[in-house]
Amino acid sequence: MTQAATVAQDLTALGFVALGVAMGYRWYRDRGRAQGMLAAALICLAAVAALGRIPNPPLVLSIVNLFLFMLSGFFVLLFRHEFVPLGRTALYLAYALLALAILVGIVDVLAFRNASAPVAAILGVLIVAPWSIFVGEPIVRFWAQSNSLPAVQKARMRFLSAGFGLLIAVLFIAVIAGAALQSPTGILLTQLVALLAVPVIYFSFAPPSLLRRIWRLAEENEIRAALQDLLIFSPTRRVMAERAVYWAVRMMGATSGFVTDAEGNVLATAGIDPGRVESLFASPPESVISAPLHLTEGQGKLAVVAGTFSPVFGSEEAAQLAGYANAVAAGLERARVTERMAALEDNKTQFLNLASHELRGPVTVIRGYVSMLEGGLLGDLNDQGRKAAGVMAAKVSEMNELIEQMIEAARLEEGGVTVHAVEIDLRDIVRSAAEMVMPMLDASHKLEMDLPDRRVRVRVDPDRTRTIVGNLLSNAIKYSPEGGTVTCQVRSRAGVARVVVTDEGVGISREGMATLFTRFGRILTPETEHLKGTGLGLFLGRQLARLQGGDITVASVEGKGSTFTLQLPLAVVPPSPDAASSDGGHEVAGSTPRVVTMPAKSPTSD
Ligand code: ADP
């Protein structure tokens, strides 16, 4: 047993020496004042443990040992002082207590070497008590404050407190129990407890990643959800930066933080006055760790500032912050693109508004004059003049249509579209739309109308719905430059009326589908780039259909053709499921759809 106790003593001493060396090395690699204090404390403790193993030490060595022991405690107090500065008086008192304790220690070593047990115990308490105050005050504070810290910092603070707490306990028990603990079992037990303090303290400043992961587990889900929200749903750069810095501070257990852009402008701060950021930015103190934000315009910075009780920012925190900063940079870029797109959209709306309203006046005047020319009201025209007037009239009408589209698109953006819905037969609207596009047909095109015999009653804005169908038909013809058959089918079923326009034209690629219904969205291919268009027709069509409770959908095979379907709610809901199941629905139940072919340039009325 005696041998076991000796081995335990040697092991403990070795453990503390290793701890001192490890902490000294860390400080050598990353020299911060706070870390320096903790390193000094542990190095002193290591020396005490090593010197303590020398049998029958000379007086000088005992005094040196006592001196180092007191200093080890005092450095823990200074470590705490780095985070919450002690008041002047408290600091003076601490120095006085240190001097007094060393004095008592020297007196003890010199005059009371062979004192009786009670006297030795009293002297021992007088020496251990100041050390315990130096160490105990910080650990109580650290423990209490750790509650407000994130998981990892909290656990680290508690490990540090617990480690030193164990040492205080061992020292007091050893001093008070005195001779009672001189038995091999007593020594073995106290040594083992002291030895336990070694890994506990070590883990507080260098926790293995597994431990950190375990500590973080409880918080991880919350942080992950928050990060996801942060990266995906932040509407603007500023909001994103504010949230990012809030979470950085929380994750790191810092007290404040800031985000700057490539020019050093402060994008957001948390727990710190933006005015102070500049000084931190210029000469960051050791309590600041920062990570670069790789932004398109250059390198920004995400930094967190160590708080009162977040003592050790190690390489783990730096790596974590760097990884987080990469995600934040990506999020900021996304927010920037979104903001830019919103600004562009805004510009587009402004442009549409301005251009359309400014053009409308002059075009109306030109239109008036052209029709006067055509009608001979401005004098007789020769053949060439009449031909020119005809072309001008057609072109002005095209321009007019374009302007109307632009005005409608601008109105839609501003929510200013009012739909004048009336109950009407959809077949009439479709027929009139077909009439509208007749001039576009040439010999290579065939337009087939497939309309039911019975009325298909819908409640819609007739003009707007005609425009929608007209656009689908004109697109079907326009995007079939090689010709082919365009069919226009009207059906009603289960409370929904459908106008299905099918062509055998160029079709639409898979990628093209995404731009089809967007404002100004055009899919330009070698076959279609010469075709005139604004990219507004389908955008308006879908928006207007939706405003009326319907929609436009599309199916297409590139190179083979496309089918656009306009759906609109029927005015009367079918009363019985039987009727709804037939292709005709209630209004057209039992009717046989009639196919009417409309050959080029010779409209056949239905
Ligand atoms: P516009 O025809 O004036 O360009 P639209 O909004 O009506 O604008 O159509 C948007 C784009 O969708 C067109 O530029 C064209 O690329 C594509 N598109 C529309 N209809 C068809 C169709 N029937 N076949 C192939 N492509 C089409």
Side-chain angles (χ1 to χ4, degrees), residues 181-457:
L181 268 182
Q182 291 311 309
S183 69
T185 322
I187 293 173
L188 190 69
L189 281 177
T190 48
Q191 291 303 311
L192 285 180
V193 176
L195 192 60
L196 183 68
V198 173
V200 173
I201 294 175
Y202 181 76
F203 288 160
S204 76
F205 60 82
S209 57
L210 178 70
L211 207 55
R212 283 196 302 253
R213 231 168 285 148
I214 294 170
W215 290 337
R216 215 179 277 134
L217 222 55
E219 253 194 3
E220 211 136 70
N221 283 344
E222 198 195 342
I223 290 186
R224 199 172 301 140
L227 286 188
Q228 194 172 336
D229 274 8
L230 162 90
L231 295 174
I232 300 173
F233 301 116
S234 299
T236 63
R237 265 191 130 195
R238 189 156 293 277
V239 172
M240 154 102 214
E242 270 161 15
R243 291 182 186 169
V245 75
Y246 167 81
W247 278 103
V249 166
R250 177 112 188 247
M251 252 171 20
M252 297 291 132
T255 45
S256 56
F258 57 90
V259 179
T260 56
D261 66 11
E263 275 98 54
N265 301 317
V266 179
L267 282 179
T269 62
I272 188 173
D273 182 30
R276 265 206 62 212
V277 168
E278 213 159 291
S279 61
L280 285 176
F281 196 68
S283 55
E286 63 180 44
S287 53
V288 176
I289 50 166
S290 68
L293 286 174
H294 303 286
L295 306 171
T296 320
E297 69 268 19
Q299 205 174 76
K301 206 176 204 179
L302 169 65
V304 289
V305 185
T308 313
F309 289 98
S310 50
V312 222
F313 275 154
S315 49
E316 149 86 357
E317 277 79 10
Q320 200 186 354
L321 190 69
Y324 174 67
N326 284 341
V328 170
L332 282 174
E333 285 302 283
R334 186 201 51 75
R336 196 175 61 93
V337 172
T338 315
E339 265 177 45
R340 196 185 270 177
M341 274 168 61
L344 274 176
E345 286 296 310
D346 225 42
N347 284 347
K348 270 195 213 169
T349 307
Q350 277 178 14
F351 167 75
L352 277 177
N353 240 333
L354 196 90
S356 50
H357 285 104
E358 293 301 313
L359 285 173
R360 202 185 216 179
V363 166
T364 313
V365 175
I366 298 172
R367 232 176 141 191
Y369 278 112
V370 169
S371 71
M372 281 158 86
L373 271 176
E374 263 194 312
L377 294 177
L378 300 178
D380 278 345
L381 295 176
N382 60 16
D383 274 358
Q384 273 181 323
R386 262 195 299 279
K387 228 177 173 179
V391 174
M392 271 161 71
K395 291 293 160 194
V396 170
S397 186
E398 247 176 53
M399 263 169 88
N400 197 52
E401 203 182 307
L402 173 65
I403 290 167
E404 291 306 322
Q405 274 193 342
M406 285 161 75
I407 291 178
E408 189 85 329
R411 256 194 234 128
L412 262 174
E413 286 299 311
E414 287 160 359
V417 171
T418 32
V419 176
H420 303 287
V422 292
E423 202 168 301
I424 191 168
D425 185 351
L426 186 58
R427 295 176 309 165
D428 291 341
I429 294 181
V430 171
R431 280 189 201 110
S432 118
E435 300 280 333
M436 255 167 49
V437 300
M438 283 325 281
M440 291 179 72
L441 293 170
D442 60 26
S444 64
H445 292 112
K446 206 161 81 175
L447 176 59
E448 282 186 4
M449 302 296 286
D450 176 0
L451 309 176
D453 286 339
R454 298 253 192 120
R455 284 188 299 163
V456 179
R457 284 200 302 184

Side-chain angles (χ1 to χ4, degrees), residues 116-129:
S116 63
V119 176
I122 290 169
L123 281 169
V125 167
L126 281 180
I127 295 166
V128 170

Side-chain angles (χ1 to χ4, degrees), residues 405 471-472 475-476 478-479 503 506-508 516 521-524 528 532-539 562 564:
Q405 274 193 342
N471 181 248
L472 294 184
N475 277 352
K478 188 162 72 170
Y479 296 106
D503 64 58
V506 294
I508 299 151
L516 214 53
R522 303 202 68 208
I523 309 143
L524 295 179
T528 60
K532 273 183 280 172
T534 55
L536 282 174
L538 284 178
F539 164 75
S562 315
F564 283 84

